[in-house]
């Protein structure tokens, strides 16, 4: 493995993050498990960053990819593409957005980039509202609106970004308030901010912040924001790259926890739809999607083989009610982890919903983030046969747990037991 690591370092950028002191090469997977180059098996609680949504090597998806690859893999968007139209039709119906149009990309970064292009063109403004502690991708424009210092290497941007309170419930100036007063304070802050600037193009927000450590506001915050935004004609972009497709259990889309005023104007998606294939996209009302007055194409967005994967994966998810499974098994897993946390002083909070769970670590007796402890638990979990992620806006001190949505109760208990031993070992 050290030979591969040395070769990696010789040809790839220093800033390309790798987990673990001894980086891991994953060679194959099945169901909720993966194997490394030494033949060791791990229970996968991170799914390639929430991307293996249903299961590793899901037969329905691998068959669809193989059959499509045997016909044609790619032709570009310059030609009619039946799998792309079929998947767009399904996503348009599922989105909840009226008169919806769908544009496919190759990643969540590109999807958010496209959403920003649409919003700023439609509104003729380059000012964007974003949430503190947010993450929206690694392109020049999406880095420029990301509200997480650890993932934003430059302040240069084609956009003027104004950051709004509310994405983190238990930190910041309003953390001491109850939910209703928290929402009121965030809305008041938004109103005050808008009184000092020309009307922005849009607010972009993750219903649950992914890289930020699976933090979220009280349900209804973005609905309350929407009322204020609508008074100014400002669009709402819901970044569903990590929260879409039923992962939160309670809802198919994260925006639905804030949906009393209807769906967002623009919705972005990626990651889990292709179950590992490179697919992302944007959904918007026709008047917004069609506002561009120049030609455009996507060479790789919507290519036939990724569309075949997306169709097969989405069909499997819906037919097997994986959203319901995320709600049931995720609820059990959260309660199990909260019971563990009650006995571990280093755990500040267990949060999340469905199979999108954050475990934040802090120095015992304080709110001071403890990234060293998070790293140590990550390593100890791997030693025990469990792969998890990490994140957070406060020195990456949160463990991120997001298994494939087909996780069984027995596998949830297996993973929780390994994580419990890792937490106790580090504590």
């Amino acid at each position: 493995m050290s030979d591969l690591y040395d070769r990696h370092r010789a040809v790839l950028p220093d800033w390309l993050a790798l987990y673990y002191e001894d980086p891991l090469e994953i060679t194959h997977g099945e169901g909720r498990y993966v194997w490394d180059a030494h033949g060791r098996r791990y229970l996968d609680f991170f799914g390639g960053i929430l991307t293996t949504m249903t299961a590793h090597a899901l037969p329905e998806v691998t068959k669809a990819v193989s059959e499509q690859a045997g016909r044609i893999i790619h032709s570009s968007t310059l030609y009619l593409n039946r799998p792309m139209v079929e998947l767009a039709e399904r996503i348009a119906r599922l989105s909840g957005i009226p008169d919806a149009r769908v544009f496919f990309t190759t990643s969540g970064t590109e999807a958010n980039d496209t959403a920003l292009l649409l919003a700023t063109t439609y509104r003729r403004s380059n000012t964007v509202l974003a949430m503190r502690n947010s993450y929206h991708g690694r392109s020049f424009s999406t880095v420029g609106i990301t509200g997480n210092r650890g993932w934003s290497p430059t302040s240069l941007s084609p956009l003027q970004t104004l950051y709004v309170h509310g994405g983190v419930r238990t930190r910041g100036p309003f953390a001491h308030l109850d939910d209703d007063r928290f929402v009121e304070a965030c809305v008041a802050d938004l109103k005050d901010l808008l009184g000092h600037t020309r009307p922005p193009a849009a607010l972009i927000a993750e219903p649950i912040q992914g890289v930020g450590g699976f933090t979220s506001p009280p349900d209804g915050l973005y609905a309350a924001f929407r009322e204020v935004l609508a008074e100014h004609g400002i669009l709402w972009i819901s970044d569903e790259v990590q929260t879409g497709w039923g992962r939160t259990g309670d809802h198919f889309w994260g925006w639905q926890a804030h949906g009393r005023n209807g769906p967002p104007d623009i919705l972005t998606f990626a990651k889990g739809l292709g179950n590992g294939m490179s697919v992302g996209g944007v959904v918007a009302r026709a008047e917004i999607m069609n506002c561009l007055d120049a030609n455009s194409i996507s060479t790789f967005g919507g290519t036939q083989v990724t569309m075949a994967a997306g169709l097969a994966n989405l069909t499997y998810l819906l037919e097997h009610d994986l959203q319901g499974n995320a709600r049931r098994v995720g609820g059990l897993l959260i309660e199990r982890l909260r019971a563990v946390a009650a006995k571990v002083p280093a755990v500040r909070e267990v949060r999340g919903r469905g199979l999108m769970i954050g475990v934040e670590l802090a120095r015992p007796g304080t709110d001071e983030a403890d990234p060293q402890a998070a790293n140590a638990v990550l390593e100890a979990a791997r030693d025990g046969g469990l792969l998890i992620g990490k994140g957070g806006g406060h020195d990456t001190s949160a463990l991120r747990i997001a298994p494939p949505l087909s996780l069984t109760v027995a596998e949830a208990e297996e993973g929780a037991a390994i994580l419990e031993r890792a937490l106790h070992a580090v504590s």
Side-chain angles (χ1 to χ4, degrees), residues 114-184:
T114 303
L116 294 169
L117 171 64
L118 293 171
T120 53
T121 302
Y122 184 79
R123 293 274 298 147
R124 302 195 63 78
S125 168
N126 76 330
T127 302
V128 173
L129 300 173
M131 305 304 295
R132 299 181 184 190
N133 195 52
S134 60
Y135 175 83
H136 298 289
R138 56 159 186 78
S139 67
F140 189 48
S141 68
T142 55
V143 161
I145 64 167
T146 286
N148 185 319
R149 173 63 186 87
W151 293 91
S152 184
T154 178
S155 60
L156 300 174
S157 175
L159 303 171
Q160 178 184 4
T161 308
L162 304 174
Y163 292 101
V164 181
H165 284 295
V168 183
R169 177 65 185 90
T170 61
R171 289 187 181 274
F174 306 141
H176 63 287
L177 303 175
D178 64 30
D179 283 355
D180 289 342
R181 292 178 62 212
F182 180 93
V183 170
E184 290 174 3

Side-chain angles (χ1 to χ4, degrees), residues 368-413:
E368 185 180 351
D370 195 344
Q372 291 78 21
N375 287 336
V377 174
L378 198 79
E379 296 280 356
R382 174 196 171 172
D383 290 344
L386 177 70
L387 304 184
I388 57 176
K390 60 180 179 177
H394 294 82
D395 297 321
T396 315
S397 60
L399 308 174
R400 298 168 68 199
I401 297 166
L405 302 188
S406 56
L407 186 75
T408 67
V409 172
E411 290 162 346
E413 173 55 36

Side-chain angles (χ1 to χ4, degrees), residues 8-283:
H8 173 104
R9 294 176 64 188
V11 296
L12 296 172
D14 291 344
W15 42 260
L16 192 62
L18 282 170
Y19 275 173
Y20 308 118
E21 292 181 11
D22 179 17
L24 181 67
E25 180 190 2
I26 294 174
T27 59
H28 62 287
E30 182 178 344
R32 276 67 56 193
Y33 293 91
V34 295
W35 283 259
D36 69 15
H38 301 292
R40 185 176 181 195
R41 189 181 77 162
Y42 302 86
L43 181 58
D44 184 6
F45 267 27
F46 204 39
I49 320 178
L50 293 84
T51 300
T52 304
M53 178 170 69
T54 49
H56 290 281
L58 186 71
E60 289 82 352
V61 173
T62 56
K63 179 183 178 184
V65 169
S66 176
E67 290 180 351
Q68 181 60 57
R71 293 191 293 270
I72 187 169
I73 293 175
H74 168 78
S75 66
S76 89
T77 54
L78 291 171
Y79 306 93
L80 286 172
N81 179 331
R82 188 174 300 274
M84 181 168 68
V85 172
E86 290 175 352
L87 186 54
E89 288 171 338
R90 298 193 71 179
I91 292 172
R93 288 194 298 269
L94 289 166
S95 73
I97 294 175
D99 195 21
R101 299 294 186 272
V102 181
F103 177 74
F104 289 105
T105 67
T106 61
S107 69
T109 290
E110 192 187 348
N112 285 332
D113 207 50
T114 303
L116 294 169
L117 171 64
L118 293 171
T120 53
T121 302
Y122 184 79
R123 293 274 298 147
R124 302 195 63 78
S125 168
N126 76 330
T127 302
V128 173
L129 300 173
M131 305 304 295
R132 299 181 184 190
N133 195 52
S134 60
Y135 175 83
H136 298 289
R138 56 159 186 78
S139 67
F140 189 48
S141 68
T142 55
V143 161
I145 64 167
T146 286
N148 185 319
R149 173 63 186 87
W151 293 91
S152 184
T154 178
S155 60
L156 300 174
S157 175
L159 303 171
Q160 178 184 4
T161 308
L162 304 174
Y163 292 101
V164 181
H165 284 295
V168 183
R169 177 65 185 90
T170 61
R171 289 187 181 274
F174 306 141
H176 63 287
L177 303 175
D178 64 30
D179 283 355
D180 289 342
R181 292 178 62 212
F182 180 93
V183 170
E184 290 174 3
C186 292
V187 169
D189 178 71
L190 174 62
K191 289 179 177 178
D192 181 71
L193 177 63
L194 293 176
H196 296 282
T197 184
R198 297 184 64 83
L203 166 72
I204 184 168
E206 306 155 273
I208 298 176
Q209 294 181 329
V211 171
F214 293 169
T215 61
S216 63
D219 287 357
L221 174 72
Y222 294 121
F225 277 4
R226 185 84 184 280
E227 295 175 1
V228 177
L229 300 175
E231 294 174 2
H232 300 270
I234 301 168
L235 303 179
W236 173 26
I237 304 170
S238 185
D239 178 346
E240 302 274 356
V241 168
Q242 297 197 28
T243 50
W245 319 112
R247 176 163 288 281
T248 68
D250 292 336
H251 306 100
F252 193 77
W253 303 107
W255 69 260
Q256 291 170 317
H258 309 270
R260 69 170 183 258
N261 296 318
D265 299 291
I266 303 174
L267 177 153
T268 63
F269 61 85
K271 289 195 181 289
L273 176 61
N275 206 43
M277 300 294 287
S278 296
V279 57
V282 184
V283 189

